[in-house]
PDB file of all heavy atoms in Angstrom:
ATOM      1  N   GLY M 247     -18.509 -13.731  -9.362  1.00  0.00           N
ATOM      2  CA  GLY M 247     -18.146 -12.813 -10.441  1.00  0.00           C
ATOM      3  C   GLY M 247     -19.013 -11.581 -10.504  1.00  0.00           C
ATOM      4  O   GLY M 247     -18.546 -10.517 -10.910  1.00  0.00           O
ATOM      5  N   MET M 248     -20.273 -11.690 -10.084  1.00  0.00           N
ATOM      6  CA  MET M 248     -21.139 -10.507 -10.059  1.00  0.00           C
ATOM      7  C   MET M 248     -20.579  -9.475  -9.090  1.00  0.00           C
ATOM      8  O   MET M 248     -20.552  -8.279  -9.378  1.00  0.00           O
ATOM      9  CB  MET M 248     -22.557 -10.911  -9.657  1.00  0.00           C
ATOM     10  CG  MET M 248     -23.538  -9.740  -9.605  1.00  0.00           C
ATOM     11  SD  MET M 248     -25.222 -10.325  -9.265  1.00  0.00           S
ATOM     12  CE  MET M 248     -26.100  -8.761  -9.071  1.00  0.00           C
ATOM     13  N   LEU M 249     -20.124  -9.940  -7.909  1.00  0.00           N
ATOM     14  CA  LEU M 249     -19.488  -9.038  -6.939  1.00  0.00           C
ATOM     15  C   LEU M 249     -18.272  -8.357  -7.545  1.00  0.00           C
ATOM     16  O   LEU M 249     -18.076  -7.143  -7.384  1.00  0.00           O
ATOM     17  CB  LEU M 249     -19.093  -9.823  -5.689  1.00  0.00           C
ATOM     18  CG  LEU M 249     -18.232  -9.061  -4.671  1.00  0.00           C
ATOM     19  CD1 LEU M 249     -19.060  -7.999  -3.959  1.00  0.00           C
ATOM     20  CD2 LEU M 249     -17.627 -10.027  -3.647  1.00  0.00           C
ATOM     21  N   LEU M 250     -17.452  -9.122  -8.244  1.00  0.00           N
ATOM     22  CA  LEU M 250     -16.215  -8.570  -8.804  1.00  0.00           C
ATOM     23  C   LEU M 250     -16.509  -7.571  -9.929  1.00  0.00           C
ATOM     24  O   LEU M 250     -15.932  -6.481  -9.955  1.00  0.00           O
ATOM     25  CB  LEU M 250     -15.338  -9.711  -9.324  1.00  0.00           C
ATOM     26  CG  LEU M 250     -15.006 -10.831  -8.332  1.00  0.00           C
ATOM     27  CD1 LEU M 250     -14.103 -11.870  -8.989  1.00  0.00           C
ATOM     28  CD2 LEU M 250     -14.364 -10.285  -7.063  1.00  0.00           C
ATOM     29  N   HIS M 251     -17.394  -7.929 -10.824  1.00  0.00           N
ATOM     30  CA  HIS M 251     -17.662  -7.054 -11.965  1.00  0.00           C
ATOM     31  C   HIS M 251     -18.415  -5.789 -11.565  1.00  0.00           C
ATOM     32  O   HIS M 251     -18.191  -4.725 -12.168  1.00  0.00           O
ATOM     33  CB  HIS M 251     -18.433  -7.822 -13.036  1.00  0.00           C
ATOM     34  CG  HIS M 251     -17.590  -8.729 -13.859  1.00  0.00           C
ATOM     35  ND1 HIS M 251     -16.753  -8.268 -14.847  1.00  0.00           N
ATOM     36  CD2 HIS M 251     -17.437 -10.081 -13.830  1.00  0.00           C
ATOM     37  CE1 HIS M 251     -16.134  -9.292 -15.422  1.00  0.00           C
ATOM     38  NE2 HIS M 251     -16.528 -10.405 -14.819  1.00  0.00           N
ATOM     39  N   GLN M 252     -19.307  -5.875 -10.560  1.00  0.00           N
ATOM     40  CA  GLN M 252     -20.015  -4.652 -10.163  1.00  0.00           C
ATOM     41  C   GLN M 252     -19.080  -3.639  -9.539  1.00  0.00           C
ATOM     42  O   GLN M 252     -19.399  -2.449  -9.458  1.00  0.00           O
ATOM     43  CB  GLN M 252     -21.174  -4.975  -9.215  1.00  0.00           C
ATOM     44  CG  GLN M 252     -20.809  -5.585  -7.881  1.00  0.00           C
ATOM     45  CD  GLN M 252     -20.379  -4.564  -6.835  1.00  0.00           C
ATOM     46  OE1 GLN M 252     -20.792  -3.413  -6.882  1.00  0.00           O
ATOM     47  NE2 GLN M 252     -19.541  -4.994  -5.901  1.00  0.00           N
ATOM     48  N   ALA M 253     -17.905  -4.084  -9.083  1.00  0.00           N
ATOM     49  CA  ALA M 253     -16.954  -3.185  -8.437  1.00  0.00           C
ATOM     50  C   ALA M 253     -16.105  -2.403  -9.424  1.00  0.00           C
ATOM     51  O   ALA M 253     -15.516  -1.373  -9.070  1.00  0.00           O
ATOM     52  CB  ALA M 253     -16.037  -3.991  -7.509  1.00  0.00           C
ATOM     53  N   VAL M 254     -16.030  -2.861 -10.672  1.00  0.00           N
ATOM     54  CA  VAL M 254     -15.129  -2.250 -11.644  1.00  0.00           C
ATOM     55  C   VAL M 254     -15.447  -0.776 -11.914  1.00  0.00           C
ATOM     56  O   VAL M 254     -14.547   0.076 -11.868  1.00  0.00           O
ATOM     57  CB  VAL M 254     -15.131  -3.071 -12.952  1.00  0.00           C
ATOM     58  CG1 VAL M 254     -14.408  -2.324 -14.074  1.00  0.00           C
ATOM     59  CG2 VAL M 254     -14.483  -4.426 -12.733  1.00  0.00           C
ATOM     60  N   PRO M 255     -16.712  -0.400 -12.193  1.00  0.00           N
ATOM     61  CA  PRO M 255     -16.989   1.013 -12.507  1.00  0.00           C
ATOM     62  C   PRO M 255     -16.645   1.965 -11.364  1.00  0.00           C
ATOM     63  O   PRO M 255     -16.158   3.075 -11.604  1.00  0.00           O
ATOM     64  CB  PRO M 255     -18.483   1.037 -12.826  1.00  0.00           C
ATOM     65  CG  PRO M 255     -18.810  -0.372 -13.216  1.00  0.00           C
ATOM     66  CD  PRO M 255     -17.933  -1.224 -12.359  1.00  0.00           C
ATOM     67  N   GLY M 256     -16.923   1.552 -10.121  1.00  0.00           N
ATOM     68  CA  GLY M 256     -16.618   2.413  -8.988  1.00  0.00           C
ATOM     69  C   GLY M 256     -15.127   2.636  -8.850  1.00  0.00           C
ATOM     70  O   GLY M 256     -14.678   3.778  -8.651  1.00  0.00           O
ATOM     71  N   PHE M 257     -14.352   1.562  -8.931  1.00  0.00           N
ATOM     72  CA  PHE M 257     -12.898   1.697  -8.816  1.00  0.00           C
ATOM     73  C   PHE M 257     -12.360   2.632  -9.889  1.00  0.00           C
ATOM     74  O   PHE M 257     -11.513   3.494  -9.617  1.00  0.00           O
ATOM     75  CB  PHE M 257     -12.239   0.316  -8.931  1.00  0.00           C
ATOM     76  CG  PHE M 257     -10.766   0.315  -8.628  1.00  0.00           C
ATOM     77  CD1 PHE M 257     -10.314   0.032  -7.353  1.00  0.00           C
ATOM     78  CD2 PHE M 257      -9.828   0.601  -9.611  1.00  0.00           C
ATOM     79  CE1 PHE M 257      -8.951   0.028  -7.062  1.00  0.00           C
ATOM     80  CE2 PHE M 257      -8.475   0.597  -9.340  1.00  0.00           C
ATOM     81  CZ  PHE M 257      -8.027   0.324  -8.054  1.00  0.00           C
ATOM     82  N   ALA M 258     -12.868   2.493 -11.113  1.00  0.00           N
ATOM     83  CA  ALA M 258     -12.416   3.353 -12.213  1.00  0.00           C
ATOM     84  C   ALA M 258     -12.732   4.819 -11.927  1.00  0.00           C
ATOM     85  O   ALA M 258     -11.917   5.708 -12.202  1.00  0.00           O
ATOM     86  CB  ALA M 258     -13.058   2.907 -13.514  1.00  0.00           C
ATOM     87  N   ALA M 259     -13.921   5.078 -11.363  1.00  0.00           N
ATOM     88  CA  ALA M 259     -14.323   6.460 -11.081  1.00  0.00           C
ATOM     89  C   ALA M 259     -13.489   7.062  -9.964  1.00  0.00           C
ATOM     90  O   ALA M 259     -13.139   8.255 -10.007  1.00  0.00           O
ATOM     91  CB  ALA M 259     -15.803   6.500 -10.714  1.00  0.00           C
ATOM     92  N   TRP M 260     -13.157   6.286  -8.934  1.00  0.00           N
ATOM     93  CA  TRP M 260     -12.461   6.809  -7.777  1.00  0.00           C
ATOM     94  C   TRP M 260     -10.951   6.917  -7.971  1.00  0.00           C
ATOM     95  O   TRP M 260     -10.328   7.867  -7.524  1.00  0.00           O
ATOM     96  CB  TRP M 260     -12.701   5.915  -6.559  1.00  0.00           C
ATOM     97  CG  TRP M 260     -14.143   5.678  -6.245  1.00  0.00           C
ATOM     98  CD1 TRP M 260     -15.182   6.564  -6.375  1.00  0.00           C
ATOM     99  CD2 TRP M 260     -14.722   4.458  -5.782  1.00  0.00           C
ATOM    100  NE1 TRP M 260     -16.358   5.962  -5.996  1.00  0.00           N
ATOM    101  CE2 TRP M 260     -16.114   4.683  -5.625  1.00  0.00           C
ATOM    102  CE3 TRP M 260     -14.207   3.199  -5.454  1.00  0.00           C
ATOM    103  CZ2 TRP M 260     -16.990   3.689  -5.177  1.00  0.00           C
ATOM    104  CZ3 TRP M 260     -15.073   2.207  -5.014  1.00  0.00           C
ATOM    105  CH2 TRP M 260     -16.445   2.449  -4.873  1.00  0.00           C
ATOM    106  N   PHE M 261     -10.385   5.923  -8.656  1.00  0.00           N
ATOM    107  CA  PHE M 261      -8.916   5.825  -8.698  1.00  0.00           C
ATOM    108  C   PHE M 261      -8.332   6.021 -10.086  1.00  0.00           C
ATOM    109  O   PHE M 261      -7.107   6.005 -10.251  1.00  0.00           O
ATOM    110  CB  PHE M 261      -8.482   4.470  -8.130  1.00  0.00           C
ATOM    111  CG  PHE M 261      -8.882   4.264  -6.695  1.00  0.00           C
ATOM    112  CD1 PHE M 261      -9.844   3.321  -6.356  1.00  0.00           C
ATOM    113  CD2 PHE M 261      -8.325   5.022  -5.673  1.00  0.00           C
ATOM    114  CE1 PHE M 261     -10.227   3.130  -5.034  1.00  0.00           C
ATOM    115  CE2 PHE M 261      -8.690   4.852  -4.346  1.00  0.00           C
ATOM    116  CZ  PHE M 261      -9.652   3.889  -4.015  1.00  0.00           C
ATOM    117  N   GLY M 262      -9.175   6.229 -11.112  1.00  0.00           N
ATOM    118  CA  GLY M 262      -8.681   6.592 -12.426  1.00  0.00           C
ATOM    119  C   GLY M 262      -8.102   5.471 -13.254  1.00  0.00           C
ATOM    120  O   GLY M 262      -7.491   5.719 -14.297  1.00  0.00           O
ATOM    121  N   VAL M 263      -8.296   4.212 -12.835  1.00  0.00           N
ATOM    122  CA  VAL M 263      -7.811   3.050 -13.577  1.00  0.00           C
ATOM    123  C   VAL M 263      -8.964   2.054 -13.682  1.00  0.00           C
ATOM    124  O   VAL M 263      -9.635   1.790 -12.676  1.00  0.00           O
ATOM    125  CB  VAL M 263      -6.621   2.376 -12.866  1.00  0.00           C
ATOM    126  CG1 VAL M 263      -6.221   1.084 -13.568  1.00  0.00           C
ATOM    127  CG2 VAL M 263      -5.431   3.327 -12.792  1.00  0.00           C
ATOM    128  N   ARG M 264      -9.187   1.516 -14.871  1.00  0.00           N
ATOM    129  CA  ARG M 264     -10.230   0.506 -15.029  1.00  0.00           C
ATOM    130  C   ARG M 264      -9.600  -0.872 -14.840  1.00  0.00           C
ATOM    131  O   ARG M 264      -8.857  -1.342 -15.702  1.00  0.00           O
ATOM    132  CB  ARG M 264     -10.910   0.606 -16.388  1.00  0.00           C
ATOM    133  CG  ARG M 264     -12.158  -0.282 -16.486  1.00  0.00           C
ATOM    134  CD  ARG M 264     -13.005   0.054 -17.688  1.00  0.00           C
ATOM    135  NE  ARG M 264     -14.291  -0.651 -17.646  1.00  0.00           N
ATOM    136  CZ  ARG M 264     -15.365  -0.196 -17.008  1.00  0.00           C
ATOM    137  NH1 ARG M 264     -15.306   0.972 -16.394  1.00  0.00           N
ATOM    138  NH2 ARG M 264     -16.492  -0.897 -16.980  1.00  0.00           N
ATOM    139  N   PRO M 265      -9.893  -1.555 -13.734  1.00  0.00           N
ATOM    140  CA  PRO M 265      -9.241  -2.833 -13.443  1.00  0.00           C
ATOM    141  C   PRO M 265      -9.893  -3.999 -14.185  1.00  0.00           C
ATOM    142  O   PRO M 265     -10.993  -3.848 -14.749  1.00  0.00           O
ATOM    143  CB  PRO M 265      -9.435  -2.978 -11.929  1.00  0.00           C
ATOM    144  CG  PRO M 265     -10.766  -2.323 -11.691  1.00  0.00           C
ATOM    145  CD  PRO M 265     -10.848  -1.173 -12.662  1.00  0.00           C
TER     146      PRO M 265
END
Side-chain angles (χ1 to χ4, degrees):
M248 180 175 174
L249 171 71
L250 306 181
H251 282 284
Q252 64 82 27
V254 170
F257 189 93
W260 305 324
F261 300 111
V263 174
R264 190 167 189 86

